[in-house]
Amino acid sequence: MTKPSLSDLTQSLLEAAKRAGAPAADAIAVDGRSVAIDVREGRLEQAERSEGVEIGLRVLLGGKQACVSASDISTRTFEEMAQRAIAMAREAPEDPFIGLADPSQLTDRRDADGMELADPSAEPSAEALQADALEAEAAALGVEGVTQVQSASAAYSYRRVHVAASNGFAGGYDRSSRVVSAVAISGEGLGMERDWAAESRIFQSDLPSAQEIGRLAGERAAARANPRRPKTGAYPVLIDERVSGSLIGHLLSAVNGQAICRGASWLRDALNEQVLPEGLSLIEEPHRKRVSGSRPFDAEGLATARRAIVENGVLKSWTLDLACARKLGLQSTANASRGTSSPPSPGIGNVTLTQGDKTREELMAEMGTGLLVTSFIGATINPNTGDYSRGASGYWVENGEPVYPVNECTIAGNLRDMLRSIRPANDARMHLSHIVPSLLLEGMTLAGD
């Protein structure tokens, strides 16, 4: 039997919802396959392969909605899903702001042609993935000081998605991903320290060699040997590019429309106020080629576009789907995301923070004495006030040079103050979805010895 297209599946779901009496509905179908290989001590440790189709249906009865999902694509399942969704929607709470987009709001673009979000080359064999994982492990073990490799992995995935709604929208696109990673350990017993390296690309030909990735994991782990606790006090902190995106992620969470609508955001009253230093902007760029966070339209069928979240240091925009935009009396920013079992909600894709004109090493030299953070452990963040506290590890810096590795310390501050004082380096990796360089912060509270 010929497998139905995702377009046929979403249309069948909409037709079932209409027959069941739903005045409005939208549907999503996802067809994915993935292979993941883990090796340890030169041997295959685990191999996983998954593939299948998932479907989701949302029905809307006035101001009520309900979502159902399934992995069975039989006609009987469509009818049962529609009936169950309507029964659930009748019992759902009323929300006057939910609803499909008006047809005039829909984009004319219905695919991702030209965005290069899926690699057309052949799927790698399990043997090829295993060879990559083994090569990464061997390279990590070849670094002096590395005593073992906790894990080395290689994976591939391919995913097709299609969305359709009773307002006339129907569109979809494909995505692919190729990943190699390694976690290396230095030292023995209670003196063991670990670090990692990982790379992911849409196109397999863009992926760095497994040997390079493994060697980097090994070098990072070896450099972490014999760590100490730093001094307690107020010091400048340089957050390495590997983890600096998490700091900007807190800002993105604070401007998410759902947080603003609930009033649970430390930036809820900051629209059109300065939140970053003058001269810095945070731009969403949803159409970058070969980047995982790109998309031609959002989950509600609206056209995605470049927009300034922060411009010249000033907060210019919330991140909104249709429901949040209606609650706030604004226009959607085309940031709706959804899965097969959930309704749309605001989500962010690609963002770019303005880079500085100095290298990380030059900022470190200017810092003099302080902490270079290369990893975070846990977090305590108050979403209403922005009070921030995170466990961290990295390297103690004196006279502008790293002098010894550091662990078991905490950095603390307030996100409003922290973000208004950041100084960016120029070392952001341009292939990432979030392009954020290393960030220097002054006067952080550091708890160590």
Side-chain angles (χ1 to χ4, degrees):
M1 180 182 295
T2 303
K3 188 176 181 179
S5 69
L6 297 189
S7 175
D8 290 340
L9 291 177
T10 54
Q11 289 302 318
S12 295
L13 282 168
L14 293 179
E15 291 166 5
K18 183 176 181 180
R19 288 192 296 270
D26 58 16
I28 181 172
V30 180
D31 184 2
R33 64 184 187 274
S34 63
V35 184
I37 300 293
D38 299 329
V39 302
R40 185 176 173 83
E41 297 179 349
R43 298 187 299 272
L44 176 67
E45 182 175 48
Q46 181 171 286
E48 292 184 355
R49 181 180 180 89
S50 64
E51 55 183 294
V53 177
E54 293 184 10
I55 52 176
L57 174 68
R58 178 176 65 139
V59 300
L60 299 105
L61 304 178
K64 298 183 176 184
Q65 68 178 357
C67 296
V68 294
S69 62
S71 56
D72 177 17
I73 56 174
S74 66
T75 302
R76 177 181 175 181
T77 298
F78 297 157
E79 303 300 328
E80 291 176 349
M81 287 176 65
Q83 294 167 10
R84 187 165 71 250
I86 287 177
M88 292 168 59
R90 289 189 178 121
E91 303 301 321
E94 188 85 20
D95 183 345
F97 301 106
I98 63 172
L100 302 180
D102 185 88
S104 64
Q105 295 177 286
L106 300 176
T107 178
D108 293 331
R109 186 170 189 178
R110 304 301 169 93
D111 55 44
D113 286 357
M115 295 178 68
E116 300 182 9
L117 301 184
D119 188 349
S121 65
E123 176 183 323
S125 66
E127 292 76 14
L129 293 175
Q130 183 173 341
D132 273 357
L134 289 170
E135 185 177 352
E137 181 186 47
L141 287 170
V143 175
E144 184 178 357
V146 173
T147 54
Q148 59 179 294
V149 173
Q150 179 177 315
S151 65
S153 307
Y156 170 85
S157 67
Y158 198 100
R159 186 169 178 265
R160 297 187 300 129
V161 61
H162 194 276
V163 179
S166 57
N167 58 7
F169 180 79
Y173 50 89
D174 297 5
R175 289 191 184 278
S176 67
S177 174
R178 182 77 153 79
V179 183
V180 174
S181 64
V183 180
I185 295 175
S186 62
E188 301 281 354
L190 296 178
M192 290 193 300
E193 295 292 331
R194 86 183 75 198
D195 213 324
W196 59 274
E199 293 287 352
S200 175
R201 298 289 193 280
I202 288 177
F203 277 61
Q204 300 179 71
S205 59
D206 294 339
L207 191 69
S209 72
Q211 182 182 32
E212 179 182 346
I213 296 164
R215 184 179 66 252
L216 182 57
E219 291 171 349
R220 287 172 172 172
R224 295 214 40 77
N226 303 313
R228 310 182 208 173
R229 298 189 69 185
K231 302 172 184 178
T232 294
Y235 294 97
V237 171
L238 179 59
I239 303 180
D240 186 74
E241 185 270 343
R242 292 172 64 190
V243 293
S244 60
S246 67
L247 187 63
I248 299 303
H250 298 314
L251 186 155
L252 295 174
S253 296
V255 302
N256 185 283
Q258 286 191 331
I260 300 302
C261 289
R262 292 194 306 266
S265 169
W266 49 275
L267 286 178
R268 58 188 175 274
D269 300 318
L271 198 62
N272 296 317
E273 294 184 3
Q274 186 170 351
V275 296
L276 293 177
E278 186 176 347
L280 297 190
S281 297
L282 184 64
I283 307 296
E284 181 179 20
E285 299 178 294
H287 297 160
R288 291 170 53 208
K289 292 184 178 181
R290 298 197 186 193
V291 177
S292 61
S294 296
R295 54 183 179 175
F297 48 80
D298 78 347
E300 294 177 309
L302 276 61
T304 54
R306 186 181 188 276
R307 71 181 175 105
I309 302 170
V310 178
E311 187 173 26
N312 198 27
V314 176
L315 179 61
K316 292 293 187 179
S317 176
W318 308 127
T319 296
L320 304 172
D321 63 356
L322 283 169
C324 289
R326 292 166 183 149
K327 288 178 184 178
L328 297 171
L330 301 170
Q331 296 296 312
S332 172
T333 56
N335 283 97
S337 299
R338 68 168 296 185
T340 56
S341 59
S342 59
S345 62
I348 198 73
N350 303 327
V351 294
T352 300
L353 179 70
T354 305
Q355 297 204 64
D357 57 2
K358 296 184 177 180
T359 66
R360 190 192 72 164
E361 287 67 30
E362 288 173 328
L363 287 185
M364 199 183 310
E366 292 184 12
M367 179 173 70
T369 298
L371 179 67
L372 168 63
V373 175
T374 58
S375 66
F376 285 118
I377 309 161
T380 301
I381 297 164
N382 187 317
N384 294 303
T385 65
D387 289 337
Y388 174 98
S389 177
R390 296 199 72 176
S393 61
Y395 300 88
W396 189 249
V397 176
E398 292 182 358
N399 298 317
E401 295 287 342
V403 290
Y404 58 81
V406 163
N407 66 2
E408 297 183 9
C409 69
T410 300
I411 62 172
N414 182 274
L415 286 166
R416 273 185 179 268
D417 299 331
M418 292 162 60
L419 287 166
R420 280 199 295 254
S421 69
I422 60 174
R423 293 178 58 197
N426 62 1
D427 59 347
R429 289 173 289 170
M430 304 305 292
H431 70 274
L432 295 180
S433 177
H434 287 193
I435 299 178
V436 181
S438 297
L439 301 172
L440 177 61
L441 296 84
E442 298 289 344
M444 295 289 292
T445 299
L446 178 61
D449 278 334

